[in-house]
Amino acid sequence: MEQPIRKKGILIANLGTPDKPEKKEVRAFLKRFLGDSRVIDTPRWLWLPLLHGIILNTRPKKSALLYKEIWREAGSPLLIYTKAQAELLQNLVPNQVVRFAMSYSHPDIPSVLAEMEAEGVTDLTVIPLYPQYSTTTTASIYDSIATYYLNSQKIPTIHFVSDYSDHPLYIQLVASQIKEALKEHDIDQLLFSYHGIPVSYVEKGDDYPIKCQQTTKAVMQLVGDIPYIKTYQSKFGPSEWLTPATDATLKALPSKGIKRVMVITPGFVSDCLETIEEIESENYGYFMENGGIEFHYIHPFNEDPRFAELIKTLAVEQQSNEIEKESL
């Protein structure tokens, strides 16, 4: 019997961004983001009154001001670069349907899945734009995919790339960024800054810090013998988070004689609030105010065509693995 022709599609997904750098739009974004139990796993009876009664009435105004500082004429950097990554990927796989979506903003995952379904996609590869798996990020995307197809009559063959923290091409790409930057600057220490998560999540089984360590170790094997440290950024709320903290570390380094640093954020594939404002502005200030002399930040992949090649490879490998399984 002749096998039906599969129409392949690739969906890349990121966290999201407000539609505008204004209080109303930021509030709507934070409501969705912080309302996700994957992101904040505090019991709903305790968390939701805090979220709606205090946080959503105070934080949006402050966050909107920060977003205005990084906003560009074409919009949010995260949206601009994610769209560019999808376009680069589409050029590499012209026979597949490529789309991008966001967990907590437009275009949202359900809407984009509906579009791909309408285009006849029967073989779907989903690639979260988070190299290191965490329940707070990757698992949330998985939830959205599963929920969309929960009561569907037709479900495509789904390939889900849950982690590529130690994939050779990803490691080579991060290492090459560092090597290229080191040709231009002499430094005392290299600092890897990853987005942090609460310690309680790790205690419940999230192996995110192991993934971060895998990335760091593999990258440094290619970079060579230079001093480095791994830290975590973006702490939110009063609970205990992974340490050492990026901000506290950068404040302390100059007093230890480390006055020339280079910072890279391997967990981010696109510039966003956490890289431009938090690292390149806020943490730069902490370091220089405490006696630092040089602070060099290596930007994420953004529109680098090499990242699109990586995503293509991940998709092809995942699709090939499934075909091999079916042939057994």
Side-chain angles (χ1 to χ4, degrees):
M1 182 180 294
E2 191 172 312
Q3 293 293 321
I5 297 175
R6 292 180 173 181
K7 187 169 185 179
K8 295 182 179 180
I10 303 172
L11 173 65
I12 60 173
N14 213 322
L15 188 138
T17 176
D19 294 332
K20 296 179 182 179
E22 303 294 340
K23 180 180 177 181
K24 178 182 177 182
E25 285 76 12
V26 172
R27 188 180 191 278
F29 169 67
L30 291 177
K31 181 180 178 181
R32 294 183 64 180
F33 175 44
L34 298 177
D36 187 345
S37 59
R38 287 288 196 182
V39 177
I40 306 291
D41 73 348
T42 304
R44 300 292 89 183
W45 64 266
L46 176 60
W47 173 245
L48 292 181
L50 288 173
L51 176 62
H52 293 276
I54 299 176
I55 296 172
L56 292 179
N57 289 316
T58 57
R59 192 175 179 89
K61 182 178 180 180
K62 177 182 177 182
S63 295
L65 293 175
L66 297 177
Y67 274 107
K68 285 181 180 179
E69 292 181 6
I70 71 166
W71 214 259
R72 300 176 184 174
E73 186 175 346
S76 161
L78 181 67
L79 181 62
I80 293 170
Y81 290 128
T82 305
K83 181 179 180 182
Q85 289 162 356
E87 291 172 350
L88 288 168
L89 179 60
Q90 182 67 85
N91 290 334
L92 293 175
V93 287
N95 296 325
Q96 298 196 40
V97 177
V98 175
R99 295 289 183 272
F100 73 93
M102 303 291 186
S103 291
Y104 309 108
S105 64
H106 303 107
D108 61 58
I109 291 174
S111 298
V112 175
L113 288 175
E115 289 179 12
M116 299 183 82
E117 189 174 8
E119 292 192 50
V121 171
T122 59
D123 191 289
L124 175 65
T125 301
V126 182
I127 304 179
L129 295 178
Y130 310 112
Q132 295 78 26
Y133 171 88
S134 172
T135 56
T136 62
T137 51
T138 308
S140 181
I141 291 174
Y142 185 90
D143 289 347
S144 295
I145 302 294
T147 299
Y148 179 82
Y149 290 111
L150 184 62
N151 297 309
S152 296
Q153 298 301 311
K154 293 179 65 178
I155 301 176
T157 299
I158 300 175
H159 320 282
F160 192 89
V161 179
S162 61
D163 179 89
Y164 43 104
S165 58
D166 59 354
H167 190 282
L169 288 185
Y170 166 68
I171 296 302
Q172 290 170 17
L173 185 49
V174 175
S176 68
Q177 286 187 302
I178 296 172
K179 289 179 180 180
E180 289 163 8
L182 288 174
K183 291 178 182 178
E184 303 294 328
H185 308 287
D186 291 324
I187 62 170
D188 299 320
Q189 190 169 75
L190 173 65
L191 188 147
F192 290 77
S193 182
Y194 296 89
H195 200 295
I197 63 173
V199 172
S200 61
Y201 293 25
V202 180
E203 293 173 342
K204 293 175 183 177
D206 192 326
D207 62 356
Y208 174 71
I210 295 175
K211 301 299 185 182
C212 295
Q213 180 59 27
Q214 286 177 342
T215 297
T216 306
K217 182 179 179 180
V219 168
M220 290 310 300
Q221 287 176 342
L222 296 182
V223 170
D225 186 20
I226 65 170
Y228 71 94
I229 187 172
K230 173 172 61 66
T231 64
Y232 297 96
Q233 65 179 84
S234 308
K235 183 179 186 297
F236 173 77
S239 62
E240 180 186 2
W241 278 44
L242 295 174
T243 56
T246 299
D247 53 3
T249 300
L250 286 168
K251 290 175 183 177
L253 286 180
S255 66
K256 300 177 181 179
I258 299 171
K259 300 190 175 184
R260 294 177 174 82
V261 299
M262 182 174 290
V263 180
I264 190 166
T265 52
F268 297 93
V269 303
S270 300
D271 267 319
C272 55
L273 192 68
E274 287 83 358
T275 64
I276 302 172
E277 195 282 326
E278 187 177 351
I279 295 296
E280 200 171 20
S281 177
E282 182 181 347
N283 280 277
Y284 162 82
Y286 292 149
F287 182 71
M288 301 304 284
E289 290 165 7
N290 284 278
I293 296 176
E294 292 182 23
F295 182 101
H296 305 289
Y297 175 55
I298 300 174
H299 288 268
F301 305 131
N302 291 337
E303 296 173 299
D304 191 331
R306 294 175 297 179
F307 180 64
E309 290 281 359
L310 165 62
I311 295 299
K312 174 190 173 182
T313 299
L314 292 173
V316 171
E317 288 179 349
Q318 195 73 11
Q319 292 164 357
S320 299
N321 289 340
E322 292 299 326
I323 292 174
E324 289 177 6
K325 288 179 183 178
E326 291 176 3
S327 66
L328 294 176

